Amino acid sequence: MVFPALSSFSTSSSCCSISWSSSSLFDKLGFSSNNGTQIRVCTETNFRKNMLPRASLSSSDPLLVKAARGEQVSRPPAWMMRQAGRYMAVYRKLAEKHPSFRERSEKTDLIVEISLQPWKAFRPDGVIIFSDILTPLPAFGVPFDIEEVRGPVIQSPIRSEEGLKTLHPIDLDKLHFVGESLRILRQEVGEQAAVLGFVGAPWTIATYIVEGGTTRTYTNIKSMCHTAPHVLRALLSHLTQAISDYVIFQIESGAHCIQIFDSWGGQLPPDMWEKWSKPYIMEIVGKVREKCPQTPLVLYINGNGGFLERMKGTGVDVIGLDWTVDMADGRRRLGNDISIQGNVDPAYLFSALPALTDEIQRVVRCAGQRGHILNLGHGVLVGTPEEAVAHFFDVARSLNYDNNLSEDHVRNKTEVVV
């Protein structure tokens, strides 16, 4: 694949230039459808009318960026989590030639080629960089491997003050392939779609570093909350600075929007999430706002039904709902002053296409006519028919708030339940 020279790329970045440094970790330690849905939830006539949109950087901003900021748009923009991956035949063919995930996610030409596969096939409104939330770990002192069966493996988990000494400020030069890929993706899609970057939240990244890889119980990190809270706080603080720098790096490299995945935040009781995850996400949001105030930030937690109001308190622009949350209930709980993303159950992509159409329309009606990004409630599942993904985006493009999603249309399509 041949790409235009990087030197020809230009964009009006909304970030100020910064120096990539991290505060001392040890200072902190103190040592050196159905044809419709119920009318009572889906036909709120005054929905989001009082929301004040943020100032737009440009009238040519992609549809997804405008929706994330709460601006008026003609239809909900659409993309999918894990929209590049094993469900696509073209990806599987490439993976046969390049079997190492690290290679596929850390070589610029492969990153760009994979990221653009769904763009070329389906034309989503968002093109997310093909990467992993663990990709930046070696850049601040945490090497890892990915094994065929076990997945990510960290040979030296950090569970003590001694382990913390291996950490250092993030070296963004070691992540040059991320920056290069984002710049190329901006060139490739122009303003036809938003280029999305992403990071893992500090708590979620810490689960891998403390547990040594994936886990079903989280016993080591949860016990550290009580047995070694000072070590865990120091680790989370270091991760917060590194991730903040990494977010800003992605934005300055061309990302229109950043999604923060607190994938395993939902494994905490809500009061523990308030203590061990939320403050660090808030700190990231604050640091990014200082440098890149116009860049929308999205927060997604898997299993977030009990966290919605708490998630809103982080200060992000968009809350991603997983498929277990009723969209209308999520909108009611979050209110009219924040955008939402989601939340079609990924399993609907295995259904008959008319059923998928009905569900997309139901979700969009319940989300309201402003501040909604259409997505799945989780990533695309392995084995998902590509025909269904194409249909998802075709339906999304056919929607129109002034036509098939107007109030009168909703009222006629909605089932009144006594």
Side-chain angles (χ1 to χ4, degrees), residues 282-324:
M282 291 177 66
E283 188 174 345
I284 291 171
V285 172
K287 290 177 183 293
V288 175
R289 286 274 186 266
E290 288 180 8
K291 303 294 181 181
C292 314
Q294 295 289 352
T295 301
L297 301 175
V298 185
L299 176 60
Y300 174 84
I301 298 177
N302 188 29
N304 59 17
F307 294 79
L308 297 185
E309 294 84 358
R310 291 175 167 88
M311 292 171 70
K312 184 177 180 180
T314 61
V316 296
D317 303 276
V318 184
I319 301 295
L321 306 183
D322 81 357
W323 78 97
T324 65

Side-chain angles (χ1 to χ4, degrees), residues 192-362:
Q192 299 176 70
V195 173
L196 307 174
F198 69 93
V199 295
W203 168 265
T204 287
I205 299 299
T207 65
Y208 292 96
I209 294 174
V210 171
E211 299 289 344
T214 57
T215 177
R216 293 183 178 181
T217 60
Y218 305 89
T219 51
N220 287 304
I221 190 167
K222 285 186 176 182
S223 65
M224 278 183 69
C225 295
H226 310 287
T227 61
H230 64 296
V231 175
L232 185 54
R233 287 192 191 100
L235 173 61
L236 291 168
S237 293
H238 190 88
L239 292 175
T240 298
Q241 183 62 56
I243 293 166
S244 299
D245 290 348
Y246 187 41
V247 169
I248 295 168
F249 171 71
Q250 290 187 49
I251 296 169
E252 293 190 326
S253 297
H256 287 101
C257 182
I258 299 290
Q259 178 150 316
I260 302 169
F261 285 92
D262 196 7
S263 305
W264 309 129
Q267 297 296 320
L268 286 168
D271 64 317
M272 292 289 283
W273 185 82
E274 285 271 357
K275 182 176 182 180
W276 292 103
S277 185
K278 181 179 178 180
Y280 303 97
I281 296 172
M282 291 177 66
E283 188 174 345
I284 291 171
V285 172
K287 290 177 183 293
V288 175
R289 286 274 186 266
E290 288 180 8
K291 303 294 181 181
C292 314
Q294 295 289 352
T295 301
L297 301 175
V298 185
L299 176 60
Y300 174 84
I301 298 177
N302 188 29
N304 59 17
F307 294 79
L308 297 185
E309 294 84 358
R310 291 175 167 88
M311 292 171 70
K312 184 177 180 180
T314 61
V316 296
D317 303 276
V318 184
I319 301 295
L321 306 183
D322 81 357
W323 78 97
T324 65
V325 179
D326 179 79
M327 176 56 79
D329 183 55
R331 173 55 81 191
R332 178 186 59 78
R333 290 169 58 188
L334 287 168
N336 300 342
D337 56 350
I338 192 166
S339 295
I340 53 179
Q341 178 175 274
N343 71 335
V344 175
D345 183 347
Y348 261 98
L349 294 169
F350 292 86
S351 304
L353 297 185
L356 175 59
T357 299
D358 287 346
E359 178 62 7
I360 292 169
Q361 292 177 344
R362 183 195 70 82

Side-chain angles (χ1 to χ4, degrees), residues 16 25 55 66 82 98 151 173 197 209 232-233 260 277 336 344 351 354 374 393 398:
C16 307
L25 168 68
K66 293 179 179 179
R82 291 188 194 156
H98 303 278
D173 288 339
I209 294 174
L232 185 54
R233 287 192 191 100
I260 302 169
S277 185
N336 300 342
V344 175
S351 304
L374 179 62
F393 289 114
S398 75

Side-chain angles (χ1 to χ4, degrees), residues 118-130:
W119 165 248
K120 293 176 178 179
F122 312 120
R123 283 297 195 265
D125 295 299
V127 176
I128 190 166
I129 184 172
F130 184 77

Side-chain angles (χ1 to χ4, degrees), residues 386-397:
E386 292 187 49
E387 177 191 15
V389 176
H391 184 76
F392 180 97
F393 289 114
D394 286 344
V395 172
R397 281 188 290 272

